[in-house]
Amino acid sequence: MKVGTDAVLLGAWAKTYGVRRALDIGTGTGVIALMLAQKCGGTIDAIDIDEQTYQQAKENVQNSPWSDRVNVQHVSLQDYMAIQNDKYDLIVSNPPYFSDAIATAEESRTKARHTILLPFVDLIAGVQKLLSKEGKFYVILPTKEGELFREMAALKGLFLRRCTRVKTTPEKLEKRLLMQFGFTAKDQVSNSILIIEQDNLNTHNYTEEYKKLTKDYYL
C-alpha cells in the first residue's frame, strides 16, 4: 500500500488536543495512526480487515518511535464494534468509496478502494457506537461521495461541524472533502478551501497553506 495524499491530508487536518484514545478505521499503511501519535500523547487503536495490510501497518508501527502507543489489529469494523464497549475521543477514517464492484488487479487494493466490505452505513454505525458524546470523527472522501455521506450521517444524528474542500490546483474543481462530525449540530458549519499545488506547470509546486498544514510530517 502506498502513502497517498488523502491520508496525509486527513492525518494533518485532524485536531488532537486533549485526545486520550483514538481509533483509525481501515488503517492501511498505518500512516494516519502514526501521525496522530506524533501530535498527541494518547493511545491509538488502528484496525484493518486485510491481512497483508495489517502486517504492513504493524511493521511500520514497530519501526516507529510510537510503537508503545499504537495498537494495530487485524479485524473488520463490524466485528470490532461488536466486541468493543469503550468510547473514543477521536475517530478517523480514510475509507473505501467506490460503490461498484469493479475489481482492481490486486485484492488488497480492491478492498481498500471499494465499499463492498465497509459500506457507509456500517461506518456510520461504528462511529455512532464507538465515539464518545463529545468526541470528533474525521473522514476524507471525494466530493460526490462526501456529500452523500454527510446526508446519511445527519439522518443518524452525526452532524457535519467543519469542512475543508480540497483542490489540486486553483483552476480545478474540488476533488476531496475533509469533514469533521460530532453528535451536536452547529448553526453554521466552518467551511474553507485548501489548494494543494500552485499550478499544473511544475510538479509538487505546493502552496504555502498546504506546506503549513503538512510541514510536521514531510522530511
Side-chain angles (χ1 to χ4, degrees):
M1 303 293 287
K2 296 180 179 179
V3 173
T5 303
D6 285 5
V8 174
L9 282 168
L10 183 60
W13 193 73
K15 295 185 180 297
T16 59
Y17 179 77
V19 170
R20 293 174 297 174
R21 294 194 69 203
L23 173 66
D24 179 12
I25 299 171
T27 195
T29 62
V31 65
I32 297 175
L34 290 171
M35 292 173 77
L36 296 180
Q38 178 175 323
K39 61 180 174 179
C40 80
T43 59
I44 295 94
D45 292 324
I47 63 174
D48 205 289
I49 192 173
D50 183 69
E51 170 69 25
Q52 290 183 323
T53 303
Y54 154 74
Q55 292 292 349
Q56 185 178 120
K58 188 174 180 180
E59 180 180 352
N60 289 339
V61 167
Q62 288 173 342
N63 289 325
S64 80
W66 307 285
S67 58
D68 60 329
R69 292 194 289 111
V70 180
N71 176 37
V72 185
Q73 299 181 55
H74 177 216
V75 63
S76 69
L77 173 62
Q78 293 89 339
D79 288 342
Y80 190 72
M81 61 186 282
I83 61 174
Q84 179 62 257
N85 293 316
D86 293 334
K87 302 291 185 180
Y88 291 93
D89 309 306
L90 173 68
I91 298 178
V92 296
S93 184
N94 177 16
Y97 49 80
F98 290 155
S99 58
D100 57 46
I102 299 174
T104 52
E106 300 178 29
E107 184 180 359
S108 293
R109 188 164 172 79
T110 299
K111 289 178 180 177
R113 292 168 64 87
H114 291 76
T115 60
I116 302 167
L117 299 177
L118 184 57
F120 286 168
V121 63
D122 287 359
L123 178 56
I124 292 168
V127 174
Q128 277 184 299
K129 179 181 180 185
L130 299 172
L131 188 66
S132 66
K133 184 178 179 181
E134 302 298 327
K136 298 173 183 177
F137 169 54
Y138 291 88
V139 65
I140 185 169
L141 284 165
T143 303
K144 179 182 176 181
E145 288 78 4
E147 296 292 358
L148 173 62
F149 187 91
R150 173 182 180 174
E151 294 175 2
M152 293 176 64
L155 292 174
K156 296 296 183 178
L158 199 59
F159 303 103
L160 183 67
R161 299 175 60 83
R162 178 173 160 235
C163 179
T164 292
R165 299 176 179 273
V166 181
K167 292 184 174 185
T168 305
T169 57
E171 68 277 4
K172 289 189 176 181
L173 297 175
E174 61 193 46
K175 60 175 291 188
R176 293 287 189 270
L177 297 183
L178 284 161
M179 297 182 289
Q180 175 197 321
F181 291 85
F183 289 122
T184 305
K186 290 182 68 176
D187 293 334
Q188 189 170 353
V189 175
S190 173
N191 278 286
S192 61
I193 294 176
L194 173 67
I195 300 170
I196 298 177
E197 298 183 27
Q198 297 181 30
D199 53 55
N200 288 320
L201 302 177
N202 301 300
T203 305
H204 302 324
N205 185 18
Y206 296 122
T207 62
E208 288 302 315
E209 56 186 341
Y210 181 76
K211 288 191 284 188
K212 182 179 178 181
L213 176 67
T214 61
K215 63 182 175 64
D216 291 337
Y217 309 102
Y218 281 123
L219 296 176

